[in-house]
Structure formats: structure tokens, C-alpha cells
Amino acid sequence: MAGEVWTIGKLLKWTEDYFTKAGLDTPRLDGEVLLCHVLNKERIHLYVHFDQPLTKEELARYKACIKERVQHKPVAYIVGHKDFMGLEFKVNEGTLIPRPDTEILVEAVISRLKTGMDNLGTIADIGTGSGAICLSLLNYLPDLKAATVDISPGAIEVAKENAERLGLSDRVEFFQGDMLEPIKDRKFSAIVSNPPYIPEGDIPGLESDVKDYEPISALVAGPDGLDFYRRLVAEAGELIADDGFLALEIGINQAESLMALGQEHGWARCELIKDLAGIDRVVILWKQK
Ligand code: SAM
Ligand code: GLN
């Protein structure tokens, strides 16, 4: 790169080629997001300033980002945030990066709380990570309150920071602990969770971006991936109001097991919702028909 004038347009083209050769899935997008981070600008800025040269200092910082990305460090960890449900969430290597699939869970909960209940009350989010699920719910449902739990103190710190940044702190309580344990004497309108659900044996086959950088304790769930569902499906009912529900994100091929668990533990009705790829992604278990 030495000696040349590097404009935004030229740099993006170069990065796209470099990332493509490095085997990254979204080379153009990654370059754009990293460059926006370095320049502290929105993506539209790149397109209307294609001929703008970078300063030496900007170029040096961009090069540092590129180096991290070719090692497969996820873009969200390099820039320190991720968009989810139209909101910006701080993330770090102690929190899972919120996934687009999880927006399906949030949208399903929004529509069911709105249509099903007069008083939205309080929901619980188990394994909150960055707080993506519960803080989105609070943002879009101004009457709602939430209690969140995570086993990881680092995740709770990040979730608290996100609540502050989004101006939602006054409607959410945070608990560090194991699943339902910290909230076991309470009642909720609904309980929501995207728990770890990857079978142990599948971890070595995950892409490097995930297995080498994201917290393993956010992903792995015993030999069949169902450890956390067994506990939630068995125990959450007692904490949910009679007209309420348990809403869970699930992994590929887990829908049948979840329906069987729901029946075994006396849930009255089970809804399945597919993701955009046609895979069953969300299970809603209702206490009443
Ligand atoms: N809710 C976030 C999201 O959807 O982006 C994070 C979901 S991540 C798949 C699962 C979360 O569960 C992680 O933050 C992890 O720390 C947390 N977790 C793992 N074991 C737990 C346990 N025994 N009790 C509570 N939380 C747990
Ligand atoms: N959707 C995540 C992945 O496949 C897994 C999240 C989870 O275990 N809940 O990387």
C-alpha cells in the first residue's frame, strides 16, 4: 500500500479482492463496515465520497482491522457493535453476536404479547447475552418491563451498558445466575430465550468466525443440544401467567424434540415459526389452548 494514493473506492475494491481470496463470505460488506468504523461515517458516505483519499492514520487503522478480519475475527467484534431489530448493540468477545434469525423470535413475541394480553406486564429473557432480545422488546413495547438472566458476568455488564445506551434501564432488571434460579419466585407474562443449542459434537465443524471467537458457553448445550430446553420446558410453566407462553429459538432439526418435550410437560399448545430459509426456528409453548 506504500506510496500510493488510497481513495475510498480503490480501497474497497482492493479489500473485496483480498477478502474473497481469503475465503470470507461477505467480502464487500465486511470492507464497507470496517471502513465506516475507521472513518466514523455511515455507509452512504462511502458511496458519495468514492474519490476521497484516506489519511495515513486512517489507512493504518484500516489495515489493522483488515488483519484481524482475515484471521476470521467477526466484523462485529472488530467494530464493537452489531445492528439488531434496527437498534445498535454493543458486543464484545464475552457476548454472542445477535443473529438475524433471532429477529424472528422477537417479532413473534411482539405480535403475541400485543394481541394476547391487555396488560403486557413483565417478561423474562433467559441467557440475555448483549440484551438483544429483551431490549428490543422493551424498545418496541413501551408498556413492557423485563427481567434478564445470564450466567456470564461479562454478558450482564454489556447488556446493562446497552440498556443505558438505549435509554431502557428503568424498565429492566439484571440477574447473574443459572437459568430460572434468580427469578424463581416471580410470575411473568412470557418467558423468552435463545439458549445455547449446539450439540457438543457439532462444535469442531462450526466456521472459524464462530468457534474461534464467540463464547463457547453461549453455544454448546450437551450431547444433543437440548440440555437448556429440557430445563426450560420443565420449569418455566410455573413462572408464567395462565394466558402466557414460553418462546424459544431453536436450531436445525430440533422442532420435533421440542414438541415432544412440550407435551411431556403439559403445555397445552405448541406453535412453530419458520425462518426465511424455511427452517423451524421458533417454538411457542402456551399454557392454555
Ligand atoms: N440472547 C442473546 C442473543 O440472542 O443474541 C444471547 C444468546 S446465546 C445463544 C446464549 C446465552 O446464554 C449466552 O449469553 C450465555 O452466556 C447464556 N448462558 C449459558 N448458560 C447459561 C445458564 N446456565 N444460565 C443462564 N444463562 C446461560
Ligand atoms: N445461531 C447460532 C449459531 O448457529 C447458535 C446460537 C445458539 O446456540 N443459541 O451460530
Side-chain angles (χ1 to χ4, degrees), residues 8-39:
I8 286 177
K10 197 164 152 191
L11 203 52
L12 286 176
K13 182 74 194 97
W14 179 87
T15 308
E16 189 176 357
D17 293 345
Y18 185 54
F19 282 175
T20 303
K21 284 189 198 116
L24 300 179
D25 288 340
T26 51
R28 178 75 188 189
L29 178 66
D30 290 1
E32 289 184 7
V33 176
L34 293 173
L35 195 50
C36 288
H37 170 64
V38 166
L39 301 177

Short mmCIF file of all heavy atoms in Angstrom, two decimals, residues 8-39:
data_model
loop_
_atom_site.label_atom_id
_atom_site.label_comp_id
_atom_site.label_asym_id
_atom_site.label_seq_id
_atom_site.Cartn_x
_atom_site.Cartn_y
_atom_site.Cartn_z
N ILE A 8 -11.25 5.97 -1.09
CA ILE A 8 -12.26 5.06 -0.55
C ILE A 8 -12.62 3.99 -1.59
O ILE A 8 -12.65 2.79 -1.29
CB ILE A 8 -13.51 5.86 -0.11
CG1 ILE A 8 -13.20 6.61 1.19
CG2 ILE A 8 -14.73 4.95 0.07
CD1 ILE A 8 -14.34 7.52 1.70
N GLY A 9 -12.89 4.41 -2.82
CA GLY A 9 -13.31 3.47 -3.86
C GLY A 9 -12.25 2.42 -4.14
O GLY A 9 -12.55 1.22 -4.24
N LYS A 10 -11.01 2.86 -4.25
CA LYS A 10 -9.91 1.95 -4.58
C LYS A 10 -9.68 0.96 -3.43
O LYS A 10 -9.46 -0.23 -3.65
CB LYS A 10 -8.66 2.81 -4.79
CG LYS A 10 -7.54 2.13 -5.51
CD LYS A 10 -6.56 3.19 -6.00
CE LYS A 10 -5.18 2.60 -6.10
NZ LYS A 10 -4.16 3.64 -6.31
N LEU A 11 -9.77 1.48 -2.23
CA LEU A 11 -9.54 0.64 -1.06
C LEU A 11 -10.62 -0.44 -0.93
O LEU A 11 -10.34 -1.60 -0.60
CB LEU A 11 -9.54 1.54 0.18
CG LEU A 11 -8.83 1.05 1.42
CD1 LEU A 11 -7.40 0.62 1.09
CD2 LEU A 11 -8.80 2.15 2.47
N LEU A 12 -11.88 -0.05 -1.23
CA LEU A 12 -12.97 -1.03 -1.12
C LEU A 12 -12.80 -2.15 -2.14
O LEU A 12 -13.03 -3.31 -1.86
CB LEU A 12 -14.33 -0.35 -1.29
CG LEU A 12 -14.81 0.48 -0.10
CD1 LEU A 12 -16.13 1.18 -0.44
CD2 LEU A 12 -14.98 -0.39 1.15
N LYS A 13 -12.37 -1.76 -3.33
CA LYS A 13 -12.16 -2.76 -4.39
C LYS A 13 -11.03 -3.71 -3.98
O LYS A 13 -11.14 -4.94 -4.10
CB LYS A 13 -11.82 -2.03 -5.71
CG LYS A 13 -11.64 -2.96 -6.89
CD LYS A 13 -12.99 -3.51 -7.37
CE LYS A 13 -12.84 -4.68 -8.31
NZ LYS A 13 -12.95 -6.00 -7.70
N TRP A 14 -9.94 -3.12 -3.50
CA TRP A 14 -8.78 -3.93 -3.08
C TRP A 14 -9.19 -4.90 -1.97
O TRP A 14 -8.88 -6.08 -1.99
CB TRP A 14 -7.66 -2.99 -2.59
CG TRP A 14 -6.45 -3.76 -2.12
CD1 TRP A 14 -5.41 -4.19 -2.89
CD2 TRP A 14 -6.20 -4.24 -0.79
NE1 TRP A 14 -4.50 -4.90 -2.11
CE2 TRP A 14 -4.98 -4.94 -0.82
CE3 TRP A 14 -6.88 -4.14 0.43
CZ2 TRP A 14 -4.41 -5.54 0.31
CZ3 TRP A 14 -6.33 -4.73 1.56
CH2 TRP A 14 -5.11 -5.43 1.50
N THR A 15 -9.96 -4.38 -1.01
CA THR A 15 -10.36 -5.21 0.15
C THR A 15 -11.26 -6.36 -0.31
O THR A 15 -11.12 -7.50 0.15
CB THR A 15 -11.14 -4.36 1.17
OG1 THR A 15 -10.38 -3.20 1.49
CG2 THR A 15 -11.40 -5.14 2.44
N GLU A 16 -12.16 -6.03 -1.23
CA GLU A 16 -13.09 -7.07 -1.71
C GLU A 16 -12.29 -8.23 -2.32
O GLU A 16 -12.56 -9.40 -2.02
CB GLU A 16 -14.04 -6.47 -2.75
CG GLU A 16 -15.15 -7.41 -3.14
CD GLU A 16 -16.15 -6.78 -4.10
OE1 GLU A 16 -16.02 -5.57 -4.43
OE2 GLU A 16 -17.07 -7.50 -4.51
N ASP A 17 -11.29 -7.91 -3.13
CA ASP A 17 -10.47 -8.96 -3.76
C ASP A 17 -9.70 -9.74 -2.69
O ASP A 17 -9.65 -10.98 -2.72
CB ASP A 17 -9.47 -8.34 -4.75
CG ASP A 17 -10.18 -7.73 -5.94
OD1 ASP A 17 -11.38 -8.04 -6.12
OD2 ASP A 17 -9.56 -6.93 -6.66
N TYR A 18 -9.12 -9.01 -1.75
CA TYR A 18 -8.29 -9.64 -0.72
C TYR A 18 -9.13 -10.57 0.16
O TYR A 18 -8.76 -11.71 0.44
CB TYR A 18 -7.66 -8.52 0.11
CG TYR A 18 -6.68 -8.97 1.16
CD1 TYR A 18 -5.60 -9.80 0.84
CD2 TYR A 18 -6.82 -8.56 2.49
CE1 TYR A 18 -4.70 -10.21 1.81
CE2 TYR A 18 -5.93 -8.96 3.46
CZ TYR A 18 -4.87 -9.79 3.12
OH TYR A 18 -3.99 -10.18 4.08
N PHE A 19 -10.30 -10.09 0.58
CA PHE A 19 -11.19 -10.90 1.43
C PHE A 19 -11.75 -12.10 0.65
O PHE A 19 -11.97 -13.17 1.22
CB PHE A 19 -12.35 -10.06 1.98
CG PHE A 19 -11.97 -9.17 3.16
CD1 PHE A 19 -12.90 -8.27 3.68
CD2 PHE A 19 -10.71 -9.24 3.75
CE1 PHE A 19 -12.58 -7.47 4.78
CE2 PHE A 19 -10.39 -8.44 4.85
CZ PHE A 19 -11.33 -7.55 5.36
N THR A 20 -12.01 -11.92 -0.64
CA THR A 20 -12.51 -13.03 -1.45
C THR A 20 -11.47 -14.14 -1.48
O THR A 20 -11.77 -15.31 -1.26
CB THR A 20 -12.84 -12.57 -2.89
OG1 THR A 20 -13.79 -11.51 -2.81
CG2 THR A 20 -13.41 -13.69 -3.73
N LYS A 21 -10.21 -13.74 -1.74
CA LYS A 21 -9.12 -14.74 -1.78
C LYS A 21 -8.95 -15.41 -0.42
O LYS A 21 -8.57 -16.57 -0.34
CB LYS A 21 -7.81 -14.06 -2.20
CG LYS A 21 -7.75 -13.78 -3.69
CD LYS A 21 -6.36 -13.32 -4.11
CE LYS A 21 -6.42 -12.63 -5.45
NZ LYS A 21 -6.05 -11.21 -5.39
N ALA A 22 -9.22 -14.66 0.64
CA ALA A 22 -9.07 -15.22 2.00
C ALA A 22 -10.25 -16.12 2.37
O ALA A 22 -10.29 -16.67 3.47
CB ALA A 22 -8.93 -14.08 3.01
N GLY A 23 -11.25 -16.23 1.48
CA GLY A 23 -12.36 -17.15 1.71
C GLY A 23 -13.45 -16.60 2.61
O GLY A 23 -14.23 -17.36 3.20
N LEU A 24 -13.53 -15.28 2.75
CA LEU A 24 -14.60 -14.71 3.58
C LEU A 24 -15.89 -14.64 2.77
O LEU A 24 -15.87 -14.40 1.56
CB LEU A 24 -14.20 -13.32 4.08
CG LEU A 24 -12.92 -13.27 4.94
CD1 LEU A 24 -12.60 -11.85 5.37
CD2 LEU A 24 -13.06 -14.18 6.16
N ASP A 25 -17.02 -14.83 3.45
CA ASP A 25 -18.32 -14.96 2.76
C ASP A 25 -18.87 -13.66 2.20
O ASP A 25 -19.54 -13.64 1.17
CB ASP A 25 -19.38 -15.51 3.73
CG ASP A 25 -19.13 -16.98 4.01
OD1 ASP A 25 -18.43 -17.62 3.22
OD2 ASP A 25 -19.65 -17.46 5.05
N THR A 26 -18.67 -12.56 2.91
CA THR A 26 -19.27 -11.28 2.50
C THR A 26 -18.18 -10.22 2.40
O THR A 26 -18.13 -9.27 3.18
CB THR A 26 -20.35 -10.84 3.52
OG1 THR A 26 -19.81 -10.90 4.85
CG2 THR A 26 -21.58 -11.74 3.45
N PRO A 27 -17.28 -10.38 1.40
CA PRO A 27 -16.08 -9.55 1.33
C PRO A 27 -16.36 -8.05 1.16
O PRO A 27 -15.73 -7.22 1.81
CB PRO A 27 -15.33 -10.09 0.11
CG PRO A 27 -16.33 -10.88 -0.66
CD PRO A 27 -17.34 -11.38 0.32
N ARG A 28 -17.33 -7.72 0.31
CA ARG A 28 -17.60 -6.30 0.06
C ARG A 28 -18.20 -5.63 1.30
O ARG A 28 -17.77 -4.57 1.74
CB ARG A 28 -18.58 -6.19 -1.13
CG ARG A 28 -19.00 -4.80 -1.47
CD ARG A 28 -17.89 -4.07 -2.19
NE ARG A 28 -18.21 -2.67 -2.36
CZ ARG A 28 -17.49 -1.85 -3.11
NH1 ARG A 28 -16.42 -2.28 -3.75
NH2 ARG A 28 -17.82 -0.59 -3.23
N LEU A 29 -19.20 -6.28 1.84
CA LEU A 29 -19.88 -5.74 3.02
C LEU A 29 -18.90 -5.57 4.18
O LEU A 29 -18.89 -4.53 4.86
CB LEU A 29 -21.02 -6.69 3.42
CG LEU A 29 -21.81 -6.30 4.66
CD1 LEU A 29 -22.58 -5.00 4.42
CD2 LEU A 29 -22.78 -7.42 5.06
N ASP A 30 -18.06 -6.58 4.40
CA ASP A 30 -17.11 -6.50 5.52
C ASP A 30 -16.20 -5.28 5.35
O ASP A 30 -15.97 -4.54 6.31
CB ASP A 30 -16.24 -7.77 5.57
CG ASP A 30 -17.04 -9.00 5.99
OD1 ASP A 30 -18.25 -8.87 6.23
OD2 ASP A 30 -16.43 -10.09 6.09
N GLY A 31 -15.69 -5.08 4.13
CA GLY A 31 -14.82 -3.94 3.89
C GLY A 31 -15.53 -2.63 4.16
O GLY A 31 -14.99 -1.72 4.80
N GLU A 32 -16.77 -2.55 3.72
CA GLU A 32 -17.52 -1.30 3.91
C GLU A 32 -17.76 -1.03 5.39
O GLU A 32 -17.59 0.10 5.86
CB GLU A 32 -18.87 -1.39 3.17
CG GLU A 32 -18.69 -1.33 1.65
CD GLU A 32 -20.01 -1.32 0.89
OE1 GLU A 32 -21.07 -1.22 1.53
OE2 GLU A 32 -19.97 -1.40 -0.34
N VAL A 33 -18.15 -2.06 6.13
CA VAL A 33 -18.43 -1.84 7.56
C VAL A 33 -17.15 -1.44 8.30
O VAL A 33 -17.17 -0.55 9.15
CB VAL A 33 -19.09 -3.10 8.18
CG1 VAL A 33 -19.29 -2.93 9.68
CG2 VAL A 33 -20.43 -3.39 7.51
N LEU A 34 -16.04 -2.08 7.95
CA LEU A 34 -14.77 -1.75 8.63
C LEU A 34 -14.33 -0.33 8.28
O LEU A 34 -13.85 0.42 9.14
CB LEU A 34 -13.69 -2.76 8.25
CG LEU A 34 -13.93 -4.18 8.77
CD1 LEU A 34 -12.90 -5.16 8.20
CD2 LEU A 34 -13.91 -4.23 10.29
N LEU A 35 -14.51 0.06 7.03
CA LEU A 35 -14.10 1.40 6.63
C LEU A 35 -14.99 2.47 7.30
O LEU A 35 -14.50 3.51 7.74
CB LEU A 35 -14.14 1.52 5.10
CG LEU A 35 -13.40 2.71 4.49
CD1 LEU A 35 -11.98 2.85 5.02
CD2 LEU A 35 -13.37 2.59 2.96
N CYS A 36 -16.27 2.20 7.39
CA CYS A 36 -17.17 3.11 8.11
C CYS A 36 -16.72 3.28 9.55
O CYS A 36 -16.75 4.38 10.11
CB CYS A 36 -18.61 2.58 8.14
SG CYS A 36 -19.41 2.67 6.56
N HIS A 37 -16.30 2.17 10.14
CA HIS A 37 -15.84 2.20 11.53
C HIS A 37 -14.61 3.11 11.67
O HIS A 37 -14.56 3.99 12.53
CB HIS A 37 -15.51 0.76 11.94
CG HIS A 37 -14.81 0.64 13.25
ND1 HIS A 37 -15.39 1.01 14.45
CD2 HIS A 37 -13.56 0.19 13.55
CE1 HIS A 37 -14.53 0.79 15.43
NE2 HIS A 37 -13.43 0.29 14.91
N VAL A 38 -13.65 2.93 10.76
CA VAL A 38 -12.41 3.73 10.82
C VAL A 38 -12.71 5.21 10.57
O VAL A 38 -12.17 6.08 11.23
CB VAL A 38 -11.39 3.18 9.80
CG1 VAL A 38 -10.25 4.15 9.57
CG2 VAL A 38 -10.86 1.82 10.26
N LEU A 39 -13.60 5.48 9.61
CA LEU A 39 -13.89 6.88 9.25
C LEU A 39 -14.97 7.49 10.14
O LEU A 39 -15.24 8.68 10.06
CB LEU A 39 -14.34 6.96 7.77
CG LEU A 39 -13.33 6.46 6.73
CD1 LEU A 39 -13.95 6.53 5.33
CD2 LEU A 39 -12.04 7.27 6.78
#
